[in-house]
Amino acid sequence: MTDTYETRPGRPNLLGAHWDGEGVNFALFSDHAHKVTLCLFSEDGGTETHRIDLPERSGAIWHGYVPGLAPGQLYGYRVDGPYAPDRGHRFNANKLLLDPYTRELHGGFTQDPAIFGYMQGGDDLSFDDRDSALFVPKSVVSHPETFPLDARPLRRGWDDALIYEAHVKGTTITHPMIAEEKRGTYDAMASDAMLEHLTKLGVTMVELLPVQALKPEGVLLERGLTNYWGYNTVAFFTPEPRYLGPSGVKGFRAMVDRFHAAGIEVILDVVYNHSAEGDQHGPTLSFRGIDNASYYRLLDGQPRYYVNDTGTGNTMNCAHPSVLRLILDSMRFWVQAYGVDGFRFDLATTLAREPQGFDRHGGFLDALRQDPVLSGVKLIAEPWDIGPGGYRLGQFPPEFAEWNDRYRDTLRRFWRGDARAAQDLGGAILGSADLFDTRGRRAWASVNFGAAHDGYTLADVTAYTERHNEANGEENRDGHHDNFSDNFGVEGPTDDADIKAARRQRVRNMLATLMLSQGTPMILAGDEGGNTQNGNNNAYCQDNETSWLDWEAMDGNLIEFTSALSAIRKAHPTLGQSRFLHGAKRSDGTKDVEWRAFDGSALNWRDPGLSSLCILLRGSAENPGGDASADMMLLAFNREDADQELDLPDIAPRHWRREIDTSTDLQTPLDIADPRITVPRSSLSAFSAVEVDA
């Protein structure tokens, strides 16, 4: 191995590896390193051919320019400095490190003792001098034409939004109408078959589970499992190679372009709160070996150990300007190079936590909101983590929407029959204004869902009262303890026709409530067709039939029902208003929302057993000229175990039309001439006000 390349100082301002037509500029941040060595590799990645010490340091940026290098060159870094875990430093030049700014990877990870900075079997204060290069992927010098920064987000509004949360592989791997060589890939995600399905459902946003390159945890690999969900990122600029199809890395932008052509936005679930390197016993793959004390939050007074607000072993130090820059540069790249329309932030409280605690005006959130690129895309927070004061639902800035897990629990509790759940449902249907109607926020800020990747599917909410996670290898201790579920007397599958029918109706009830509530509805991929995970409510490590959608088993009638719900929501702007409804008087003297009992009397909200209620929705009093001003909807919830007669409000000269009846699979609009109608047991009916001659 010889150093035969000429090197020049290069530039520090552009981090990563950038080819200019004649050579490559390399720049890497490390505040505490003593030396940074660029390592070049053969085309197959198996042989290290050159080591070049970066010749210049400008502040904390190490940089150099190497003439003659071309796109496709494989490389990595070795960073020398103190190996002093007790002082927070874990430099080990024997470990090949990924460039945090690499846009492509060559090869994969091998779970070998050499990837650890310390001697396996000993404690983390020991030092391992084995070379890890054979066991880690290599960074790739990308051609600028591969990632032109000319993409444009679709920029749809929020008011008609319907989110579909999906896993690239799990959603497409078994689809019979997708070519076999494309299944499980980015190419498949926006295939004709998927676009037809999503368009039928009225989806406006596909929210993809993590697609940034990851490394599975060693403990999972030892069990013969892997990190299926992908919440273990190692390269923030790089599409996860497992999902590359025939189009390679360009397939990601082609996927986004196809979604955009169909009017569908793409939201990425991003994991900037931690990395795949884990705690002090984890591997040295990138950040830890580049500058552990800068990239990670370490315990005050005990910098050998990591702050673990994420539950994954480490926490990224987003308060550090260079770490913040990395995250923002990464997000900007996904917007400008791929055209993504927004981001859902995993454990967003971690990103907003300053030394004094959660701060809605902290550096990360403020930087996002003032960024000329990122301030214009959709931002969705998962508003919790396991750190101190970590549950922050409703407390993010107005530019953010937030996952509303309280809505999920309320929805399940109401239809299960829990006492006092009706009172909570009343607020949930109106967009959880008690949480979100502050600082000028809009109703779309509440992302409502009945199920998400983390937990039961909707079908399993109706089939299991106990989690069944034995296959995860954790003795069924993992996953949520309380799922507010109900198995109707039989745990799991049953041949009892009555139970099966009751379960299907419960799913329809939850889907209908979700789609008819104020706020932004989100559907978990597969729930529209009754998908099951057989009671596993933490299938993060199940890259198999447990998690994959079984398209052959999808319930076509339930898909049609979900499509009908979506069509009703889009046809009636009253159901998705941007402003909150509080029972205020409108200009015509009516109220924007009215609650009633089935007989037309006032509801007794103090009744803990309240189980039947009606809500009359009109356009917001704050927006009298809006699209919903002339629209009127009546929702009737009958949780009783018997049919009930509903006295319809007099709306002459208009009349009521029943649009939705969850007691049946297929929906046929029914014009109603009588002032009274039967609402079947354990069901929800939705009525719209129509003109007499309509």
Side-chain angles (χ1 to χ4, degrees):
M1 186 186 306
T2 59
D3 184 352
T4 58
Y5 279 98
E6 171 195 357
T7 59
R8 301 174 188 169
R11 297 180 298 156
N13 58 306
L14 200 58
L15 292 169
H18 296 272
W19 180 67
D20 63 4
E22 297 180 359
V24 180
N25 191 86
F26 295 90
L28 181 75
F29 159 79
S30 181
D31 196 20
H32 297 97
H34 294 165
K35 182 173 70 172
V36 173
T37 301
L38 171 69
C39 304
L40 306 181
F41 286 82
S42 58
E43 290 185 4
D44 64 0
T47 303
E48 188 174 357
T49 60
H50 297 83
R51 291 188 180 182
I52 304 168
D53 292 341
L54 292 186
E56 293 291 336
R57 176 178 183 176
S58 299
I61 307 299
W62 300 75
H63 53 98
Y65 181 87
V66 184
L69 291 187
Q73 175 66 57
L74 307 185
Y75 72 100
Y77 289 110
R78 298 181 189 275
V79 182
D80 205 355
Y83 188 81
D86 280 336
R87 291 190 284 122
H89 300 307
R90 295 179 180 270
F91 294 100
N92 187 334
N94 300 291
K95 310 305 170 184
L96 189 75
L97 307 173
L98 288 174
D99 182 352
Y101 277 76
T102 188
R103 301 171 181 189
E104 297 178 81
L105 296 177
H106 177 89
F109 291 99
T110 299
Q111 190 66 20
D112 187 272
I115 68 175
F116 294 85
Y118 65 97
M119 295 294 295
Q120 291 280 277
D123 64 33
D124 62 295
L125 299 178
S126 62
F127 185 81
D128 186 288
D129 61 4
R130 284 172 288 191
D131 192 336
S132 68
L134 289 177
F135 310 107
V136 296
K138 311 305 181 290
S139 303
V140 181
V141 176
S142 299
H143 197 293
E145 292 181 359
T146 304
F147 305 105
L149 303 180
D150 59 357
R152 295 291 183 270
L154 195 56
R155 299 192 187 279
R156 290 188 65 144
W158 277 100
D159 291 351
D160 66 344
L162 171 58
I163 301 174
Y164 189 82
E165 191 199 22
H167 187 283
V168 169
K169 180 177 181 180
T171 304
T172 63
I173 192 66
T174 73
H175 202 300
M177 300 304 293
I178 298 175
E180 191 168 350
E181 67 273 14
K182 292 184 177 181
R183 294 177 190 171
T185 71
Y186 304 119
D187 303 66
M189 195 65 216
S191 62
D192 289 344
M194 284 304 305
L195 288 177
E196 180 181 351
H197 179 72
L198 296 172
T199 302
K200 180 185 181 73
L201 293 177
V203 169
T204 69
M205 280 186 251
V206 170
E207 183 177 302
L208 298 177
L209 267 69
V211 294
Q212 294 169 321
L214 66 103
K215 182 196 178 300
E217 298 89 333
V219 67
L220 291 180
L221 298 174
E222 291 171 2
R223 297 180 202 153
L225 301 170
T226 190
N227 190 312
Y228 168 71
W229 285 349
Y231 292 90
N232 209 42
T233 309
V234 72
F236 292 135
F237 290 74
T238 311
E240 167 54 35
R242 291 187 297 185
Y243 313 140
L244 294 179
S247 303
V249 71
K250 291 185 178 181
F252 194 95
R253 176 154 175 177
M255 173 193 71
V256 175
D257 288 345
R258 292 210 77 202
F259 275 128
H260 284 182
I264 299 173
E265 294 182 308
V266 178
I267 308 297
L268 301 189
D269 193 336
V270 287
V271 190
Y272 294 121
N273 57 77
H274 74 279
S275 86
E277 292 183 306
D279 63 12
Q280 67 272 15
H281 299 296
T284 297
L285 308 171
S286 182
F287 311 111
R288 173 173 285 137
I290 294 171
D291 193 342
N292 184 70
S294 294
Y295 276 108
Y296 294 115
R297 291 178 56 211
L298 308 177
L299 288 181
D300 287 342
Q302 294 181 292
R304 174 184 175 186
Y305 304 106
Y306 296 80
V307 171
N308 188 22
D309 290 343
T310 64
T312 62
N314 66 55
T315 302
M316 297 295 286
N317 185 13
C318 300
H320 191 288
S322 292
V323 181
L324 177 60
R325 177 183 176 181
L326 170 73
I327 294 172
L328 296 177
D329 285 349
S330 165
M331 293 174 62
R332 228 177 276 116
F333 178 73
W334 287 95
V335 173
Q336 295 176 316
Y338 289 118
V340 304
D341 302 276
F343 302 90
R344 179 267 189 188
F345 298 96
D346 178 63
L347 303 182
T349 302
T350 299
L351 304 176
R353 186 177 278 109
E354 298 290 316
Q356 73 276 13
F358 174 83
D359 184 355
R360 68 168 62 97
H361 299 295
F364 175 72
L365 299 184
D366 282 351
L368 273 183
R369 290 183 289 164
Q370 62 80 39
D371 188 278
V373 173
L374 302 177
S375 61
V377 302
K378 289 185 170 64
L379 306 171
I380 304 173
E382 182 184 44
W384 52 77
D385 68 10
I386 67 167
Y391 190 75
R392 295 289 173 170
L393 179 62
Q395 298 178 41
F396 277 75
E399 293 84 356
F400 279 76
E402 300 179 35
W403 271 29
N404 188 347
D405 63 327
R406 197 178 77 173
Y407 180 97
R408 174 200 62 200
D409 296 347
T410 296
L411 176 72
R412 296 181 181 186
R413 289 176 52 245
F414 174 79
W415 286 112
R416 188 174 69 170
D418 290 14
R420 300 192 181 280
Q423 287 81 349
D424 293 334
L425 184 72
I429 292 172
L430 294 181
S432 302
D434 60 317
L435 291 170
F436 294 103
D437 192 9
T438 61
R439 306 187 307 279
R441 301 186 79 174
R442 297 299 179 90
W444 52 255
S446 177
V447 176
N448 303 326
F449 60 100
H453 69 274
D454 185 5
Y456 280 147
T457 67
L458 276 191
D460 287 356
V461 171
T462 71
Y464 297 91
T465 58
E466 302 293 335
R467 62 181 186 261
H468 295 269
N469 300 350
E470 291 82 3
N472 295 353
E474 300 179 43
E475 299 181 352
N476 205 33
R477 295 190 301 264
D478 60 306
H480 297 298
H481 294 276
D482 195 348
N483 300 278
F484 305 106
S485 58
D486 178 15
N487 65 12
F488 289 83
V490 176
E491 187 76 354
T494 179
D495 293 327
D496 188 305
D498 290 339
I499 292 178
K500 291 167 71 173
R503 288 175 174 177
R504 287 196 300 270
Q505 182 161 326
R506 177 73 58 81
V507 170
R508 291 196 298 271
N509 289 344
M510 291 189 288
L511 281 171
T513 306
L514 172 67
M515 295 292 284
L516 299 174
S517 295
Q518 305 296 310
T520 301
M522 183 181 79
I523 297 175
L524 172 64
D527 276 353
E528 75 276 16
N531 180 61
T532 178
Q533 292 180 170
N534 301 311
N536 192 320
N537 75 349
N538 190 34
Y540 75 102
C541 56
Q542 298 298 323
D543 188 3
N544 51 48
E545 290 82 358
T546 298
S547 298
W548 302 343
L549 299 194
D550 182 353
W551 286 93
E552 298 288 356
M554 292 278 267
D555 184 341
N557 286 337
L558 188 57
I559 291 173
E560 293 295 333
F561 176 78
T562 308
S563 299
L565 289 173
S566 179
I568 291 298
R569 183 178 179 89
K570 291 184 187 303
H572 295 280
T574 301
L575 296 172
Q577 301 184 60
S578 66
R579 298 179 185 273
F580 291 95
L581 308 177
H582 293 287
K585 278 195 174 183
R586 302 170 355 128
S587 58
D588 62 1
T590 61
K591 294 182 178 180
D592 55 19
V593 59
E594 296 179 33
W595 292 98
R596 340 168 15 108
F598 269 51
D599 63 3
S601 63
L603 281 177
N604 179 11
W605 288 110
R606 295 184 178 180
D607 178 6
L610 181 65
S611 59
S612 298
L613 59 157
C614 298
I615 179 172
L616 183 63
L617 298 165
R618 301 184 180 91
S620 169
E622 297 182 31
N623 190 30
D627 291 339
S629 60
D631 196 24
M632 189 188 309
M633 295 291 296
L634 178 69
L635 312 181
F637 297 81
N638 177 18
R639 201 182 64 188
E640 298 287 345
D641 196 24
D643 296 351
Q644 288 202 69
E645 295 301 307
L646 171 65
D647 290 330
L648 295 165
D650 182 6
I651 55 170
R654 294 192 283 179
H655 69 270
W656 291 107
R657 174 180 293 163
R658 190 179 65 193
E659 305 280 7
I660 296 294
D661 173 8
T662 64
S663 70
T664 183
D665 279 322
L666 302 180
Q667 302 301 300
T668 303
L670 175 67
D671 287 320
I672 303 166
D674 297 329
R676 175 172 289 191
I677 189 173
T678 300
V679 177
R681 59 188 290 271
S682 303
S683 74
L684 162 61
S685 290
F687 306 86
S688 67
V690 297
E691 302 298 332
V692 172
D693 58 352

